[in-house]
Amino acid sequence: IGLILFFFFHLYQPARNIALEQDITANFTKVYNVPKNVATILKTSCYDCHSNNTNYPWYSNIQPTRFLMENHIKEGKENLNFNEWGNYSARKQNNKLDRIAKQIKSNEMPLSSYTMIHKNATLSATQKKEIINWISQLKDSL
């Protein structure tokens, strides 16, 4: 019975976070003139959970990993979605920029559970400084 339940549990595959069509003008990198180095860092370290397109690793096909990943992605997108940035109000964008900088400074983001598996997503001190400085400059110009 346990083996049968295990088999049926693997049949459940939640929809993947891959948007085939989307408004690219709302993307964070289109709303702001994001320097290439900052955009690359964000895409590598943040976009899997905070965008409409996740780069799924091989183990995402195995349950319960897939289920846990999808819940994590859903929660991440509810808090911040870089692909929907242009749809946020100016006040919400400003608050999100503050939160991004604060969470990077306090090492809350990216999550350690994510960087444990995705080593390339770990932010170096230089990368953190680049993002935080750029956000500070952006906020000064807004």
Side-chain angles (χ1 to χ4, degrees):
I1 293 173
L3 188 58
I4 292 170
L5 289 174
F6 183 75
F7 173 76
F8 281 112
F9 188 59
H10 277 81
L11 291 178
Y12 173 69
Q13 295 289 321
R16 289 185 176 260
N17 182 41
I18 299 173
L20 300 176
E21 294 182 26
Q22 58 185 344
D23 177 14
I24 62 167
T25 60
N27 193 308
F28 183 78
T29 58
K30 301 294 182 196
V31 173
Y32 303 123
N33 185 19
V34 181
K36 188 173 182 171
N37 61 326
V38 172
T40 301
I41 295 166
L42 293 174
K43 287 179 182 173
T44 302
S45 300
C46 309
Y47 271 48
D48 274 349
C49 295
H50 296 286
S51 78
N52 293 332
N53 291 291
T54 299
N55 182 18
Y56 285 92
W58 65 269
Y59 55 83
S60 67
N61 294 314
I62 302 169
Q63 291 293 12
T65 306
R66 173 72 174 276
F67 181 75
L68 295 171
M69 283 179 67
E70 291 304 328
N71 283 335
H72 188 79
I73 292 166
K74 181 182 175 189
E75 183 180 323
K77 285 174 54 176
E78 286 173 359
N79 287 305
L80 169 65
N81 188 335
F82 285 107
N83 292 132
E84 303 293 329
W85 189 270
N87 299 327
Y88 297 157
S89 68
R91 181 177 174 207
K92 188 171 185 176
Q93 288 177 7
N94 194 37
N95 288 338
K96 295 288 182 192
L97 288 170
D98 284 339
R99 294 290 300 151
I100 291 168
K102 286 177 185 173
Q103 289 187 343
I104 288 173
K105 279 181 191 175
S106 64
N107 295 317
E108 291 178 55
M109 287 289 163
L111 295 175
S112 58
S113 59
Y114 182 75
T115 57
M116 182 173 31
I117 298 169
H118 302 90
K119 296 295 183 192
N120 63 332
T122 303
L123 296 174
S124 68
T126 303
Q127 289 173 319
K128 289 178 185 180
K129 188 175 179 180
E130 285 179 74
I131 295 170
I132 292 166
N133 287 345
W134 179 77
I135 288 174
S136 177
Q137 291 171 358
L138 175 65
K139 287 182 59 73
D140 289 344
S141 71
L142 295 178

